[in-house]
Structure formats: C-alpha cells, structure tokens
Amino acid sequence: MFVKKYILASATPFATPYYVFTGQQPGPVFMVVSGIHGNETGSIRAAQQLVNMLIRRALSIQKGTLIIVPLVNIKAYCKRSRGVPDLNRTFPCKRNTAARHPLAAALFQLIQRYRPAWYLDLHEANGLSQQNAKRLGQTLIIQPGSRGVPIVRQIIKSINSSIPNSSYRFNIRLRELPGSSRKAAARIIGAIAVTVETCWSLDRVMRIKYQKNIVCRFLRTAGLMN
C-alpha cells in the first residue's frame, strides 16, 4: 500500500489535508469525508483515527484507491460550529452548475478528479432513529432509487446484529438533500453515496467506534480491504 498526503484548497484560508492510499492491486476508488460540519467531532475523530491506522499499517488497502479528507471545514471546527453558511447546502445540485462556496468547490473538484465509485460522508445528528422516526441519529442515508440501497440495508443488518441495545441500532433513510456533497457525488459523478449519522447523545468513544466500523464494512464490501 502506498500513502500520499496532499492539501485541499491550498493557499486559501480553508486549506486542509487529505490522504490517498493506493493498494497493490487495481480496484475501485473510494472516498471518505468528514468535518463538513465543524461541531460533529465524533465523526471527525473517527476519520482521523482511520488515517492514523492506515499510515501505521494497522489497516491496509489491498485493492483500489482510498481518499480520506478527515476534516473538511477547519474554520468551523475551530469554532466547534456547524458552519455559516452550512457548507452541506452549497455543493452543485446538477451538472454544469457551480458550488456556492469556495471550500465546497475545492472538495467537489477533488471528487470530480478521482470520480469515486463509493462516497461516504461522515456526520452526527440529534436523537435516536429507533426511538423517533423523525430523528437522524444512528442512520445511513442514501438517495432514493440508488443501486446502493440493498448494500446499505445489508450493512445495517450486519452492524445491528453486533449492537445489544436495540435503541442504538441503525436505520436506513432514503432522502435527497439538495446542495449536499452526497447528492453531488451521487447525481453528478454516479457514486454510491451514503451519509453516516451517529447520535450525539451517545458516548463519544462509542460514536467513534460505530463510525470506524461502518467505514470498514463498506471498504470490505467494495473490495478494498479483506
């Protein structure tokens, strides 16, 4: 496995590192982003831990290419805020339209450059979806009609079997969010694009564990990891 570090939006106030891990064998391109919202610290920490594990070879990519942007919105993270404007409403909604924020534009240019077959956007939300259907905590969100829906359902079934407390189990949500990076990756690039939402009310260590577990399950499903 080969590792390279780059800077997204270099020479701007939004400069932030990203990492490219390349396996020894050909395979799909898989992209993971976190920290689009700066106050969702569990998902950010999970992405950073995955980067560290890959660098020290505690995890390894055998096939394909994995790109991880562990902290997209550094300015929002420094304030521990969601971000103003909400970056996840500023990505292009269709082809030949522009992003409405320079950081969204930089991230989408990266998506266009690599054209990932898989795209995971790590987030956190209020409320447990098992207790309130209107809440997004403990959900995987995917575009309605996506070919990835059966895969998401299988991953949810698998991870839920390892969660003893039924209130903490995950649900699927079929939703399209205009201006989100997930919609842009799905509609414009054609990726299987999924938003991962853990619940803020859970212990932070637990949330990080869930996030890493889900990412690794997707990587194995996509064939990048054994």
Side-chain angles (χ1 to χ4, degrees), residues 110-131:
L110 187 68
I111 295 169
Q112 288 181 305
R113 185 189 314 161
Y114 282 96
R115 303 193 68 83
W118 301 77
Y119 181 87
L120 292 189
D121 187 12
L122 309 186
H123 285 265
E124 299 197 272
N126 286 318
L128 292 164
S129 64
Q130 292 287 355
Q131 296 180 351

Side-chain angles (χ1 to χ4, degrees), residues 129-150:
S129 64
Q130 292 287 355
Q131 296 180 351
N132 186 337
K134 294 181 179 180
R135 299 299 182 183
L136 291 178
Q138 304 300 92
T139 62
L140 301 184
I141 311 172
I142 190 168
Q143 304 290 110
S146 169
R147 69 188 188 281
V149 169

Side-chain angles (χ1 to χ4, degrees), residues 7-50:
I7 301 298
L8 180 72
S10 61
T12 79
F14 307 105
T16 188
Y18 70 93
Y19 302 82
V20 179
F21 303 91
T22 307
Q24 299 272 2
Q25 301 177 50
V29 176
F30 196 115
M31 191 166 181
V32 178
V33 304
S34 186
I36 282 180
H37 295 142
N39 59 342
E40 297 171 6
T41 59
S43 57
I44 292 166
R45 185 60 180 154
Q48 291 171 331
Q49 286 186 9
L50 286 168

Side-chain angles (χ1 to χ4, degrees), residues 3 24 35 40 50 60 84 89 112 117 135 140 172 177 182 187 202 207-208 224-225:
V3 183
Q24 299 272 2
E40 297 171 6
L50 286 168
S60 182
V84 179
R89 304 296 185 274
Q112 288 181 305
R135 299 299 182 183
L140 301 184
I172 189 171
L177 180 61
R182 170 170 53 88
R187 292 292 187 185
L202 301 183
R207 284 147 43 205
I208 293 168
L224 279 78
M225 287 173 47

